[in-house]
Every structure is written in structure tokens, then in C-alpha cells.
């Protein structure tokens, strides 16, 4: 991606998702769009993003009629707060499909990263994803998936 104005950024995106509890074998998203930086200070950053995209969903149950090729968008908001002892990141997104209005999804990710040594940090967070209209299976497919995440991060310092 690249800035084409001080607060506007052109972008291309690719996303892949697999979720056993939602019977989702693989969701692939390929798209392009723009991002607007609504707030930018040394401590805070807030962006809004809109894309047009192709999305392919294939399900574990193998129900051929449930697998879908979708045309849609990603509408999302990102927020980051950098403090001395932690960094908070939040992303909220809605993914509607234009050719099948019932095939929408949404997600939210919240992460707190604590710096530990040099560019290394320890992070904890949550990820909540909702998939409307997964195929019916036994045991029943869950539309909502909530996960707790812990990890180690490494920050690459940019010279730009």
C-alpha cells in the first residue's frame, strides 16, 4: 500500500481464516481499497478502512452447496494506544457480501502488549469472530467463536 494524500492510504489485502468450531475449512479474501487515518498523534492512531473484495468460503462438512464465492467488502476500524508500559490495539470489522446478503461476518481483536526486553514484548488478547449462515452440521456449528491469545512479539523498528 501507499499514501496518496497525507491521511489516505491505498491498500491491497489478503486474509485467510480456518475455524473448526464454525465448520470453516478455509475462508480466503483478496481485495483492494482505501484507509483513512482519522487520528494520528505520538501516542494514538485510529484508522478506518474500506475494501472491495472476492471471498471464497469452503466448509469442513464438504456440503458443496454451502461453499460460496462472494463479492463484498471489509469495513473496519483500527485503534492503537502506545503508553510507556503497554500498547493497546483494537480492530473491529464487518464483512458484508453483496451477492448473498446472509453471508456476512464480523470480528473483533483486542491485544495488550507489554515491552519486556529491547524489541521483544509479551502480549495477551482476545479474538471474537462471527460467521452468519454456516452449514448445519452434527454436532451443531457455532456461529460465534471466542479465543484467548497469548504470545511473544518482536517489533521491527522502521527508519522511515
Amino acid at each position: 500500500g501507499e499514501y496518496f494524500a497525507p491521511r489516505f492510504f491505498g491498500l491491497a489485502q489478503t486474509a485467510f481464516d480456518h475455524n473448526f468450531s464454525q465448520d470453516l475449512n478455509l475462508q480466503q479474501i483478496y481485495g483492494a481499497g482505501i484507509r483513512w487515518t482519522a487520528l494520528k498523534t505520538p501516542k494514538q492512531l485510529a484508522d478506518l478502512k474500506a475494501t472491495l473484495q472476492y471471498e471464497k468460503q469452503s466448509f469442513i462438512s464438504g456440503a458443496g452447496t454451502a461453499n460460496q464465492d462472494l463479492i463484498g467488502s471489509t469495513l473496519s476500524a483500527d485503534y492503537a494506544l502506545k503508553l510507556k508500559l503497554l500498547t493497546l490495539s483494537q480492530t473491529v470489522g464487518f464483512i458484508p457480501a453483496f451477492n448473498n446478503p446472509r453471508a456476512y461476518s464480523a470480528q473483533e481483536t483486542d491485544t495488550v502488549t507489554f515491552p519486556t526486553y529491547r524489541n521483544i514484548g509479551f502480549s495477551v488478547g482476545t479474538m471474537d469472530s462471527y460467521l452468519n449462515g454456516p452449514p448445519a452440521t452434527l454436532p451443531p456449528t457455532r456461529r460465534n467463536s471466542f479465543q484467548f491469545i497469548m504470545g511473544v512479539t518482536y517489533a521491527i523498528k522502521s527508519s522511515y
Side-chain angles (χ1 to χ4, degrees), residues 101-121:
R102 295 183 49 80
Y104 62 87
S105 58
Q107 74 257 343
E108 178 178 1
T109 304
D110 300 289
T111 308
V112 177
T113 303
F114 303 94
T116 54
Y117 178 73
R118 296 192 184 217
N119 296 344
I120 298 173

Side-chain angles (χ1 to χ4, degrees), residues 7-100:
R7 290 190 178 260
F8 288 92
F9 187 87
L11 62 97
Q13 80 170 11
T14 302
F16 302 99
D17 190 17
H18 167 78
N19 193 310
F20 183 77
S21 69
Q22 293 175 319
D23 194 49
L24 187 62
N25 187 42
L26 182 61
Q27 175 176 274
Q28 306 169 54
I29 295 176
Y30 307 95
I34 60 170
R35 185 176 77 192
W36 173 56
T37 302
L39 172 67
K40 186 174 184 179
T41 70
K43 290 186 178 184
Q44 297 181 82
L45 180 65
D47 291 333
L48 299 174
K49 178 175 73 172
T51 66
L52 289 173
Q53 65 202 24
Y54 165 76
E55 179 179 349
K56 181 176 181 78
Q57 292 178 339
S58 61
F59 294 92
I60 296 167
S61 63
T65 58
N67 296 338
Q68 301 187 73
D69 292 297
L70 305 168
I71 303 297
S73 277
T74 293
L75 307 169
S76 66
D78 298 315
Y79 176 74
L81 174 64
K82 293 183 182 184
L83 301 174
K84 185 175 182 178
L85 297 176
L86 63 91
T87 299
L88 168 70
S89 301
Q90 182 177 41
T91 300
V92 178
F94 176 64
I95 305 173
F98 304 137
N99 59 330
N100 182 354

